[in-house]
Amino acid sequence: MGVTIKDIAAKAGVSTCTVSRVLNGRGKKVSADTKLRVLRAAEQLDYRPNIIARSLVQRRTWQIGLVIPSLQQPVMSQIIEGVHVAAQELGYSIVSCATCADKKREAEYLDDLHTRGVDGLVWLPPNLANLKVAQSLAASVPIIQGFRKIAGLDAPYVILDNTKGGFKATMHLIKLGHRKIAHLRAVGEEGEERYQGYKQALKQAQLPIEQELIIPTGFGWAFGYKSALRMHSRGLLSGPDPVTACFACGDMTAWGAIQAFRSLGLRVPDDMAVVGFDGLPISDEMEIPLTTIAQPGIEIGRLIVRYLHQIIEGEGEGVNSLTLDPKLIVRSSCGADKAYLEDKLTRLSIKGGQEE
Amino acid sequence: MGVTIKDIAAKAGVSTCTVSRVLNGRGKKVSADTKLRVLRAAEQLDYRPNIIARSLVQRRTWQIGLVIPSLQQPVMSQIIEGVHVAAQELGYSIVSCATCADKKREAEYLDDLHTRGVDGLVWLPPNLANLKVAQSLAASVPIIQGFRKIAGLDAPYVILDNTKGGFKATMHLIKLGHRKIAHLRAVGEEGEERYQGYKQALKQAQLPIEQELIIPTGFGWAFGYKSALRMHSRGLLSGPDPVTACFACGDMTAWGAIQAFRSLGLRVPDDMAVVGFDGLPISDEMEIPLTTIAQPGIEIGRLIVRYLHQIIEGEGEGVNSLTLDPKLIVRSSCGADKAYLEDKLTRLSIKGGQEE
DNA sequence: TTGAAAGCGCTAACAA
DNA sequence: TTGTTAGCGCTTTCAA
C-alpha cells in the first residue's frame, strides 16, 4: 500500500541501504549527488517512513507512556500539557493512560505500556496499589514520577515542595501582621506537608500553634465553605481576639471559604485575609484575586520529560530527583496589594463584553 | 533481551507458528495437549508479545490518535476521559497530542500520527488551519470529529446540539413564568448556536426578542461578572419592568454573573433566575447549585471511540454523525427546585470537614 | 493438527 | 561511497 524505501531505491537507482542512510543516517557518508536523487525520489513518491518497522529493528519506539490518575484536576492538566510540549520538542509521542484512580485499570495500563515497548514512562500520582508491578516495570523501562512520589518505588521524581509552600503562605500572612492564623487542613500527603509548612512558619515566628485554629477539611469549594461556617459556629471569627487570616490547603477550598466569610458579613481581605494553594488560572479571574502558592505545573511536566529523555539516552547519572520551590503569588485576598484589587475591580466594572 | 516465541517454541518442542496460533489465533485448530504445553512454557518464561512486530505484519497498531486543542477546559477533559475509557475497553492505546491551539503544532502532530500508522484518529475541536492536511489524512486513516465539527472535512462527528440546549435552557425559564429573559451571548460557533436556541424558545413562546437583553460576553467567570454589571449600568435590572432571568452561555459565565448580581443586592434565584450551560461538576458544589444544560462529555468520548472502532473494523456503513441531545439539570439557581437549595444549604451548614 | 518458509519495512554489519 | 545480506519478532500462506 504505502511507499517503501524499496520504491525509492528503484526510482533513484540505488540500494535500499543507501536510501536508509540518506533518510536518517546522521553524518554518514553519502555523495551529494546520490543524496539528492534519493531525496527527490522520496519527495516525488510522497514517502513516509514506517515507524513500526524502524522501531522493530532499533528497539526504540520513541513513545513515552503517561499514566494519569485524573484528568479533572487543573494542576494535573498543566503537568500533562507540559509533558506533551516537551515530548514533542524531543520527538516523542505520548501514549496516555487515564486510570481514573482505578487500581485494576492502572495495572492493565502498566502492563500494556510494558508490552508496547515504550521508551520511558511518566507516572503521575499513582494509586499506590501496584508497587510490585511498578518495581518490575522500573527494572526494564526508565520511569519518572511526577507531582507526587510513591514510597518504595526507586525511580526519580519531580515534585513540588509542599512544605515550603505552606511555609511561604503562612509567613506571608505573618509578615502582614496577622497573629491569629487558621489553617484549613486537608488529609493526605500534600495536605499534611502543607500543614507542616504552616507549623514551621508559626514556630519560626514564635507564634503558638493552636489546635482549634486547624480546621480539618478537603480539596474543593464545598469543603472550604463548610470549614468557614464551622469556624464561625465555633466562635473563632468574633470576640476580642478573632481569627484574622486563613491559609487554605487549596485554591478551591480558599474560594469556598471566602464566599462563606463574605456571606457571614466579613470583608476579605479587610476582616479576613486568605491565602490559597495551587495557582489555578481561575484564581486571578474572580472578584477578589486570590493570593496563592503557585504550582508550576507546566514546568514540572517539561522537567519530567527532559529527565526521562536523559535517562533513555543513557545519561541517567546526571538525573536526580527534584523538589521544586513553589512561588508565592501576591494578589489581593490578603490585603498586601491593594492596588491590584482596585485595578481589578476597575477593570471588571468598566469593561464589558468581548466587543470592547 | 526479551523472551520471544522462538524461546517458547524451543521449550515446548513445537514450531513458532504453533506458538503464534496458540497465543492469538482465535479458534484455530490446535490440539489441547500442545496448547497446554505452549501456554505453560509462555508462562514459565514470563513471555510478553512484541506488539511492534505484530503491528508490522498485521498492519494494525491498535493505537488511536487523539488530537486535543486544550487540556484546561473541563468539558474537554471529560470527553478525553471518555475516549480513554472506551479505548481501553476495546483494546486500543491512545496516542495523545496537545496542540495548545497552535496550528503548527497541530500540523506536526497530524503528520506524526499518520507516520506512526495509528488505526484511527479522534479529532477534537480543531484549529481549522490544516484542512488540507486533514483531508489527505482522512483519505488514509479513519477520523471522527468530536465536540465540534470542521466545516469542509468529510468525517463523521459526535457533537452536542447546542441550539437545542439553548432552547431548553430558555424554555425552562419561560415555563417558570419569566418574560424578560436576558442572554449572555458568547461569540463563536457554540455561542452562536446557543443564542439561536434562545431565540427559538422566545419565538415559540411568542415573546419578543429584545436586542438590549442580549449581552455580548465570553466564556469565563470574569465575562459573566462584567456582563451582569453592564446590565445594571444599563438599567436593565431595575425599574418597572426589570429583567428577572438570565441564560448564560456557559457555567463559569453564569457564576460570574451570579456573583455580580448578588453584590448588586439581587437575590438569586428570587430576584434573578440564572441558567448556565456545560454541567461542570463544580456547578453543583457552589453555594447556589446551578441549573444548567449538561454536556455529556464522557458519553461523547465513549461514542466517538465506539464509532471509530466500527469504522476501523470495516463496519463504517453503520456509522452516522451524531448530534446529541443535551439534558437540562434543574437545581436551584432558577427557583424551580427550592427543596434542592434548602437541602444543599443544610448540608453545607451542618457538615464540617472530612472527619465526619 | 502441525511445520517450513516467506516476508512485513527497516537498519546495520560487513564487503566491495 | 555504495551494495549485499542478515536479521528485528511476529504472522500467515501453503504444504505435509
Side-chain angles (χ1 to χ4, degrees):
Chain A
M1 204 172 78
V3 177
T4 74
I5 53 169
K6 244 180 181 168
D7 303 315
I8 299 180
K11 185 161 181 116
V14 296
S15 72
T16 60
C17 155
T18 302
V19 176
S20 174
R21 265 196 283 261
V22 172
L23 260 28
N24 60 39
R26 14 171 164 272
K28 280 182 188 155
K29 308 115 198 172
V30 182
S31 78
D33 177 52
T34 37
K35 190 168 179 174
L36 197 72
R37 285 214 315 280
V38 169
L39 253 23
R40 185 167 298 154
E43 188 173 340
Q44 286 175 1
L45 262 27
D46 192 24
Y47 168 77
R48 332 182 62 93
N50 182 323
I51 297 202
I52 307 289
R54 179 184 297 175
S55 294
L56 183 60
V57 47
Q58 289 191 154
R59 288 141 183 297
R60 180 151 186 189
T61 57
W62 286 97
Q63 292 200 134
I64 287 177
L66 173 62
V67 179
I68 309 162
S70 161
L71 281 155
Q72 318 294 344
Q73 240 177 303
V75 179
M76 196 70 69
S77 296
Q78 292 181 358
I79 297 180
I80 294 170
E81 186 171 317
V83 166
H84 277 86
V85 170
Q88 200 189 22
E89 284 168 5
L90 293 168
Y92 293 97
S93 291
I94 295 293
V95 179
S96 73
C97 310
T99 65
C100 306
D102 179 305
K103 291 166 186 176
K104 191 163 146 262
R105 299 194 59 193
E106 188 187 56
E108 284 176 22
Y109 269 133
L110 255 20
D111 193 65
D112 181 60
L113 253 18
H114 192 176
T115 301
R116 276 222 129 82
V118 292
D119 295 340
L121 183 55
V122 175
W123 200 350
L124 300 182
N127 301 334
L128 290 173
N130 303 301
L131 189 53
K132 260 172 68 182
V133 180
Q135 280 166 333
S136 88
L137 188 60
S140 53
V141 180
I143 295 182
I144 301 234
Q145 313 175 63
F147 192 58
R148 290 205 223 157
K149 60 174 191 268
I150 316 174
L153 179 60
D154 183 28
Y157 51 83
V158 179
I159 57 174
L160 189 80
D161 193 332
N162 280 290
T163 307
K164 202 170 277 180
F167 179 88
K168 283 191 178 176
T170 311
M171 196 45 94
H172 178 63
L173 293 169
I174 293 172
K175 282 187 184 153
L176 290 172
H178 296 283
R179 290 294 169 266
K180 196 104 176 179
I181 302 169
H183 174 45
L184 271 37
R185 174 191 180 188
V187 295
E189 206 178 319
E190 298 161 275
E192 183 58 28
E193 289 170 7
R194 293 169 193 183
Y195 167 59
Q196 291 303 328
Y198 164 80
K199 286 203 297 186
Q200 284 178 16
L202 292 183
K203 202 169 286 176
Q204 180 166 320
Q206 296 183 308
L207 290 171
I209 291 160
E210 301 173 62
Q211 284 308 320
E212 61 166 8
L213 297 188
I214 297 159
I215 317 291
T217 190
F219 294 104
W221 190 94
F223 280 114
Y225 193 92
K226 289 185 222 172
S227 302
L229 292 185
R230 182 196 286 183
M231 286 170 69
H232 173 66
S233 67
R234 289 194 182 162
L236 295 170
L237 305 180
S238 48
D241 187 22
V243 170
T244 61
C246 170
F247 162 42
C249 59
D251 277 4
M252 289 315 298
T253 307
W255 278 117
I258 287 178
Q259 278 183 28
F261 288 139
R262 298 180 82 197
S263 74
L264 291 167
L266 294 177
R267 289 164 304 159
V268 176
D270 308 77
D271 301 323
M272 178 64 74
V274 179
V275 185
F277 202 118
D278 282 339
L280 303 186
I282 202 183
S283 297
D284 194 23
E285 266 203 60
M286 300 281 206
E287 209 168 349
I288 301 174
L290 188 66
T291 290
T292 186
I293 299 293
Q295 297 227 49
I298 297 198
E299 197 49 34
I300 291 178
R302 301 182 91 117
L303 279 170
I304 290 174
V305 172
R306 300 234 179 88
Y307 275 14
L308 193 54
H309 176 64
Q310 279 186 41
I311 299 180
I312 292 171
E313 292 288 323
E315 305 157 8
E317 314 78 33
V319 173
N320 294 308
S321 292
L322 202 60
T323 306
L324 291 177
D325 231 33
K327 271 208 189 70
L328 174 73
I329 302 182
V330 177
R331 292 201 278 246
S332 319
S333 60
C334 297
D337 194 345
K338 295 244 178 200
Y340 192 99
L341 176 56
E342 274 157 29
D343 179 54
K344 176 84 184 188
L345 287 175
T346 307
R347 287 205 314 272
L348 282 175
S349 325
I350 291 175
K351 287 195 190 165
Q354 279 188 342
E355 93 266 77
E356 281 153 344
Chain B
M1 204 173 76
V3 178
T4 74
I5 53 169
K6 242 181 182 168
D7 302 316
I8 299 180
K11 184 161 181 120
V14 296
S15 74
T16 59
C17 155
T18 303
V19 175
S20 174
R21 265 197 282 261
V22 172
L23 260 28
N24 60 41
R26 13 173 165 269
K28 281 186 188 151
K29 310 117 199 172
V30 182
S31 78
D33 177 53
T34 36
K35 191 168 181 175
L36 197 73
R37 285 215 315 282
V38 168
L39 253 22
R40 185 166 298 155
E43 188 173 342
Q44 286 175 359
L45 260 28
D46 191 26
Y47 169 77
R48 333 181 62 93
N50 182 321
I51 298 202
I52 306 290
R54 178 184 298 175
S55 295
L56 183 59
V57 47
Q58 290 192 154
R59 285 140 186 297
R60 179 151 187 190
T61 56
W62 287 98
Q63 291 200 136
I64 287 178
L66 173 64
V67 179
I68 309 162
S70 160
L71 280 156
Q72 319 292 345
Q73 239 178 304
V75 179
M76 196 70 70
S77 296
Q78 291 181 0
I79 297 180
I80 295 170
E81 188 171 315
V83 166
H84 277 86
V85 170
Q88 201 189 22
E89 284 168 5
L90 293 169
Y92 293 97
S93 292
I94 296 292
V95 180
S96 73
C97 311
T99 65
C100 306
D102 179 305
K103 292 166 186 176
K104 193 164 145 258
R105 299 196 58 194
E106 187 186 56
E108 284 176 22
Y109 268 132
L110 254 22
D111 191 65
D112 183 59
L113 252 17
H114 192 177
T115 301
R116 275 223 129 81
V118 291
D119 296 338
L121 184 54
V122 175
W123 200 349
L124 300 182
N127 300 336
L128 288 173
N130 303 301
L131 189 54
K132 260 172 65 184
V133 181
Q135 279 166 334
S136 87
L137 188 59
S140 54
V141 180
I143 296 184
I144 302 236
Q145 315 176 62
F147 191 57
R148 292 205 222 156
K149 60 174 192 269
I150 317 175
L153 179 59
D154 182 29
Y157 52 82
V158 179
I159 56 174
L160 190 79
D161 192 332
N162 280 291
T163 307
K164 201 170 278 182
F167 180 87
K168 282 191 178 179
T170 312
M171 196 46 92
H172 178 63
L173 294 169
I174 294 172
K175 283 187 185 154
L176 289 172
H178 295 283
R179 290 296 168 266
K180 195 104 178 181
I181 301 170
H183 174 45
L184 272 37
R185 174 192 182 188
V187 295
E189 205 177 320
E190 299 161 273
E192 183 57 27
E193 289 171 7
R194 293 171 193 181
Y195 167 59
Q196 292 303 328
Y198 163 80
K199 285 203 297 187
Q200 284 179 15
L202 292 183
K203 202 167 288 177
Q204 180 166 322
Q206 298 183 305
L207 288 171
I209 292 161
E210 302 173 61
Q211 285 306 320
E212 62 167 6
L213 298 188
I214 296 157
I215 317 291
T217 188
F219 294 103
W221 190 94
F223 281 114
Y225 193 92
K226 288 185 223 170
S227 301
L229 293 185
R230 180 195 288 184
M231 286 170 70
H232 172 67
S233 67
R234 290 192 182 164
L236 296 171
L237 305 179
S238 49
D241 186 22
V243 170
T244 61
C246 170
F247 162 42
C249 58
D251 277 3
M252 290 314 299
T253 307
W255 279 118
I258 287 178
Q259 279 183 28
F261 288 138
R262 299 180 83 195
S263 75
L264 290 168
L266 294 177
R267 288 164 304 159
V268 176
D270 306 77
D271 302 323
M272 178 63 75
V274 179
V275 185
F277 202 119
D278 282 338
L280 304 186
I282 203 180
S283 297
D284 194 22
E285 268 201 59
M286 301 281 206
E287 209 168 348
I288 300 175
L290 188 67
T291 290
T292 186
I293 300 292
Q295 298 227 47
I298 296 199
E299 199 48 34
I300 292 178
R302 302 181 91 117
L303 280 170
I304 290 174
V305 172
R306 299 231 180 88
Y307 275 14
L308 193 54
H309 176 64
Q310 277 186 43
I311 299 178
I312 293 171
E313 292 289 322
E315 304 156 12
E317 313 78 34
V319 174
N320 293 308
S321 292
L322 202 60
T323 305
L324 291 176
D325 230 34
K327 272 208 189 69
L328 174 74
I329 302 182
V330 177
R331 291 201 279 246
S332 319
S333 59
C334 297
D337 193 346
K338 295 242 175 198
Y340 192 100
L341 176 56
E342 274 157 28
D343 178 55
K344 176 84 184 188
L345 288 175
T346 309
R347 288 207 312 275
L348 282 176
S349 324
I350 291 177
K351 287 195 188 164
Q354 279 188 343
E355 93 264 83
E356 281 152 342

